[in-house]
Amino acid sequence: MESEYIPPAVWTNDNDNGGTWASINRPVSGATHDKVLPVGIHPLQLYSLGTPNGQKVTIMLEELLALGVIEAEYDAHIINIGEGEQFSSGFVGINPNSKIPALVDQSGEPSIEVFESGAILLYLADKFGHLLPKDIVKRTTVLNWLFWLQGAAPYLGGGFGHFYAYAPEKFEYPINRFTMEIKRQLDLLDKQLTANKFIAGDEYSIADIAIWSWYGNVVLGKAYDAAEFLDVGSYKHLLRWAQDIADRPAVQRGRIVNRTSGEAWEALSERHSAADITEALKLKP
């Protein structure tokens, strides 16, 4: 280590040393500008971006629609976090934490605002009665893994992903520290899937949707370009599960919504009808 960092007595913000997302990270909450959010015609209004957390919700909604739940029709409006749109007065009014995704259910009076991706999955599962078992034992198992994901994913994204892929410089200590934890998590999931078809047992659930959006993308080589580094081929059961989920039509539809990068059939900025996704997927050679 060339030089040791000595923390000052009082920390101050240094935006010039924060890496990829330095321009939007800040140590205070609240709105930075006034902007009214757009509102579409469907019962559910989603404000999001096609990150893993955003994919959770769009995959869930597409799964519900595939099950015939027409009330799950939705408008998906893009929130460009790189441009600070999550700090608009409209978005902060829905989610004071200024993180995507955020959902407004305007099917009743008053409308209901839901933020945090795990909370949105749970809300939709309870509202429509799908992808979360009613049996208390099975339901609890699903929720165990849903909340595991909510606690574990920051180590993958804000920890490993940041220092491996986004930090202004690569430092051995944080990469090793977070790689150790991610390898432990991958091993945990692999062992859980040794005797289970899905994460929480024999039934596909919101736990699979939540965990696949982060860990499925990583082991399939769709996040951080780290599949070789993490030796994902050694997690045979996890890879089997990840590919099985990826092959689901609703997952293929949901994962492209609110994305701004990739091939034309992989990126659909906004979704206002089923036809929007269908037409995008038709572009795949």
Side-chain angles (χ1 to χ4, degrees):
M1 186 176 296
E2 294 183 0
S3 62
E4 180 180 0
Y5 171 67
I6 301 176
V10 178
W11 180 86
T12 57
N13 189 23
D14 179 9
N15 277 332
D16 294 330
N17 194 33
T20 302
W21 302 105
S23 63
I24 63 167
N25 290 331
R26 57 199 183 102
V28 295
S29 62
T32 60
H33 60 284
D34 290 328
K35 183 179 181 181
V36 177
L37 292 176
V39 179
I41 63 172
H42 296 302
L44 301 175
Q45 300 295 302
L46 178 65
Y47 302 93
S48 189
L49 189 66
T51 65
N53 284 333
Q55 287 182 17
K56 294 177 194 175
V57 181
T58 49
I59 289 171
M60 175 69 171
L61 290 166
E62 292 298 325
E63 291 283 10
L64 290 169
L65 290 170
L67 289 167
V69 182
I70 60 175
E71 296 85 1
E73 264 295 349
Y74 68 104
D75 292 278
H77 310 276
I78 194 166
I79 300 294
N80 287 304
I81 62 175
E83 298 176 11
E85 292 182 354
Q86 70 274 34
F87 300 120
S88 74
S89 58
F91 190 83
V92 172
I94 297 172
N95 182 2
N97 194 40
S98 295
K99 303 290 185 181
I100 61 94
L103 179 76
V104 178
D105 182 353
Q106 55 184 17
S107 63
E109 185 62 40
S111 60
I112 299 174
E113 299 166 352
V114 195
F115 64 89
E116 290 297 320
S117 56
I120 296 173
L121 292 183
L122 182 55
Y123 175 80
L124 293 172
D126 282 338
K127 177 181 176 68
F128 295 118
H130 291 285
L131 300 171
L132 179 60
K134 293 179 173 58
D135 174 81
I136 187 64
V137 175
K138 293 181 179 180
R139 177 186 173 93
T140 300
T141 302
V142 170
L143 294 181
N144 285 343
W145 285 101
L146 175 65
F147 282 90
W148 173 85
L149 180 279
Q150 296 301 113
Y155 288 96
L156 177 55
F160 173 79
H162 174 77
F163 286 105
Y164 183 79
Y166 299 134
E169 298 179 59
K170 284 184 167 53
F171 294 103
E172 182 178 5
Y173 175 77
I175 291 176
N176 283 346
R177 167 66 181 87
F178 287 108
T179 299
M180 180 76 72
E181 173 60 12
I182 297 314
K183 293 283 286 182
R184 187 193 69 81
Q185 293 176 0
L186 295 176
D187 184 64
L188 171 67
L189 292 171
D190 193 63
K191 286 184 169 70
Q192 176 66 10
L193 289 161
T194 300
N196 296 287
K197 182 177 181 180
F198 298 108
I199 289 292
D202 294 331
E203 299 179 41
Y204 179 64
S205 72
I206 56 176
D208 296 285
I209 293 172
I211 294 171
W212 184 89
S213 298
W214 279 100
Y215 295 85
N217 274 317
V218 167
V219 299
L220 293 176
K222 299 181 182 297
Y224 309 131
D225 193 24
E228 181 180 5
F229 179 75
L230 294 171
D231 187 24
V232 299
S234 63
Y235 305 107
K236 305 297 185 183
H237 304 287
L238 178 57
L239 276 171
R240 182 270 306 164
W241 166 85
Q243 190 59 59
D244 286 349
I245 304 300
D247 289 340
R248 295 178 68 88
V251 173
Q252 294 173 16
R253 294 176 66 84
R255 66 175 297 271
I256 74 170
V257 177
N258 293 144
R259 288 192 65 191
T260 58
S261 61
E263 302 292 346
W265 59 88
E266 296 178 313
L268 180 65
S269 178
E270 298 206 347
R271 185 265 192 209
H272 300 288
S273 72
D276 292 339
I277 300 177
T278 300
E279 291 304 311
L281 292 175
K282 284 181 180 178
L283 298 174
K284 186 174 182 178

